[in-house]
Amino acid sequence: MNAVLTPTAALQRLRLRVEGAVQGVGFRPWVAQQARRLVLSGWVRNDGQGLEAELQGPAEALAAFDEALRRNPPPLARVQRVQRSALAVQPHEAGFVIQPSRATAPQTLTTTLPPDTAPCDACLDELFSPGNRRWRHPFINCTQCGPRFTLTARLPYDRPNTALADFPMCPDCAAEYTDPQDRRHHAQPVACPRCGPRIALWAPDGAVLVTPEAGTDAVLAEAAQRLRAGQVLAVKGVGGYHLVADATQAAPLQRLRAAKQRASKPFALLVANTASARRWVELGDDSATLLASPARPIVLLHCRPGVAAAHPAIAPGLDEWGLMLPSNPLHWLLLHELAGRPADPAWRHTEQPMLLLMTSANPGGEPLVVDEAEAVAKLGGLADALLVHDRAILVRADDSVRRPLGRDAQGRPFFPFIRRARGQVPEPIALPGVPADAPSVLATGGYLKATVCLTRGNEAFVSPHLGDLGSAASRQSLVEAVARLQDFLGVRPQAVAHDLHPDFFSSTHAQALAAEWQVPTVPVQHHHAHAAAVLAEQGQTGPALALVLDGVGLGSDGQPWGGELLRCEEGGAKFTRLAHLPTLPLPGGDRAAREPWRLGAALLHSLGRGGEIAQRFAAEPLAGSLGTVLDRRLNCPATPSAGRLFDAAAALLAGVHHNGHEAEAAMRLEALALRHTGLVTPWADAFTLDAHGMLDLRGLWSALADSRVDTATAEAAARFHTSLAAALVAWVGHHARAQQLDTVALGGGCWINRPLRQAVVPALQALGLTVREATQAPCGDGGLSLGQAAVALATLNHDLHRSR
């Protein structure tokens, strides 16, 4: 990697090629500053491969530069590779310059950008310092903070290729941009109130209420007054619009639920800082660090005693809230305005009473709204006013969501993703078991929580969360995400992977693309993809077990699967279904997933207690006839789905008859279980395991059937989780011994369940098993595209070796 340099007149000249996330992080100014500090001559520039530089000076100075590059690169940079080569000395060269970026053919791109990050402390000090020329400027940023991915049209990362292209720098910003000693030296989105962008307040129909010319203060004053009055604002951020309201007032939340037809789905919330968060939730040090990290994810946190009950409209039936801190300057300024415009910049570190609803602005089932035309067309019935700005959002990026689930196998804080988007994308996911020269593959994901994934070498780039594919707009967002990743990475896929289900739009689009590009398709079974996603990011190439628990996915036999124990091998290319959970019928097919009472009825019927259905579910008009439907097996496909078992348990223990949103029943059952604080043991005889490793849960089912909603307690819900965990551990242990395997991957959305995971993982480790979990992508369907890509790569590699 290091070249042997030949001195010429005590000088040496070195060419550097630095690849990775090295654009948009202040890397060129950093190189220039180091070169000038060490009295090196030469130049630096961006191109499609990353960063290129030529440095000339004494060997000792070049060595000092190399040491700084290795030990202290720019904070947001991710250096993947450094190539060095010796050059002939240019004896008359003087000084060091930043050259204009060099255009590169798209197919030769090897660089990437960092994710969007929240404003840094230095920018916030300026934002809230009266007299500073960027006092209360909604678009403040520097080389170490601000939007990157969502405002960049193409690489290399230069202002003409960003959403700031139409905003010429004023003389003061231009002076900062060109000053090597300024922290905004070569900061591409640099701006101020003089050069823009600007904010305005619109009526829902697009009529201007407060013009940009009136000034930021006037716009924010009117916006804050409307929030205090209980109105809902649609606020344009960096990756899309949010719907914002005062969350301490029930009326706007209830109106919003009615307008969005979102009766019970939890709302995300914004607070000013961790001190303010502690006013509402229990916040440990690890969670506080994550909450305040530059990525600014939504973090799911347990409410303090009495808080959830006092504000039931925020997260009905749950004791957990999703909190976030301000991710962009406009969020900060709304809070500042509501706080009365304090003059001391230190206000942002002190506890503030404001609690703002901050939920994604999109009609149900559609993508995030990103521009003003969409906002007027789609948000008029949801918002009372629109807080807009004239800086374009070039890429949709919803908020990332994470949940603390204790510790991982190495004892580190474990915060898996529920949704991976703003603040994380386009950060690549390393694939340790994949060769660096592996062919590129595209994977198009599933149907729910859709993402797409494109690989480049041994890195996987997963798109931001796209949502469910039930609407034409959502399907179009998937098409756009594929094109965006291709342009961004400059690769041409050599295979396209997709879900086994033939009717998913993600599958049909994958097949159309493969035909257009004349490359093969790789259909991947849903649960195989869940397993492969975990194994790929963990670098597990040898045989391993995978326990995959989720709602439903089409199985290789054409039946709905959902509680699977798999053996994965050949680098993930192949799997064998060793066993599955006992099956329950789905009366009404897909309708049963929306109506958990049907699963409760199916469980009773499977135990020979169908006569109890009408009485147990008397509030349901169809309860009296469902027993006949089950007797005759009319539209009652059987499934081993773990998610549907949780639905049945929620119906019988917690009285949850209908899912207002995906997994609501399981979430409310979990919340009930977590209210039990004492020791809990499994139900007696909850399961049996025969000599062939077949798991029987009839004891668990009977215990559920014997429970009554009117007498059920948190202890019963906790015992359900504990009993299921004990059964799973025994089941996995049996097959691990039979297969002579010592590694098990946990995949599927059920593993976001805290009591289940916290019971299963240490018990599996106590059996001597190595447990692999999803850390870089969601364990649910948001990670399917990663798993599909991993299977496609392993399949191509396996086929290549077999042909030799």
Side-chain angles (χ1 to χ4, degrees), residues 215-234:
T216 295
D217 287 353
V219 174
L220 290 172
E222 179 64 19
Q225 182 57 36
R226 287 172 177 264
L227 290 174
R228 294 188 190 100
Q231 291 193 9
V232 176
L233 301 184

Side-chain angles (χ1 to χ4, degrees), residues 100-111:
S101 297
R102 184 167 64 96
T104 306
Q107 65 270 20
T108 63
L109 296 176
T110 60
T111 190

Side-chain angles (χ1 to χ4, degrees), residues 431-456:
L431 304 175
V434 174
D437 60 351
S440 173
V441 301
L442 170 70
T444 56
Y447 179 82
L448 300 176
K449 302 181 181 68
T451 60
V452 298
C453 177
L454 188 59
T455 67
R456 188 174 67 185

Side-chain angles (χ1 to χ4, degrees), residues 596-678:
W597 75 271
R598 291 172 175 266
L599 277 305
L603 187 146
L604 292 172
H605 185 272
S606 297
L607 291 171
R609 297 168 63 170
E612 300 178 25
I613 294 174
Q615 185 271 328
R616 294 285 289 269
F617 301 105
E620 299 299 331
L622 297 178
S625 60
L626 199 66
T628 302
V629 171
L630 287 161
D631 285 338
R632 297 178 180 177
R633 293 285 177 174
L634 300 173
N635 190 21
C636 291
T639 178
S641 165
R644 303 293 80 85
L645 176 58
F646 274 97
D647 285 344
L652 293 165
L653 290 179
V656 183
H657 288 193
H658 296 263
N659 273 325
H661 57 86
E662 189 191 9
E664 178 184 2
M667 291 166 65
R668 292 180 62 179
L669 180 68
E670 179 192 5
L672 182 62
L674 290 172
R675 290 170 193 158
H676 180 71
T677 56

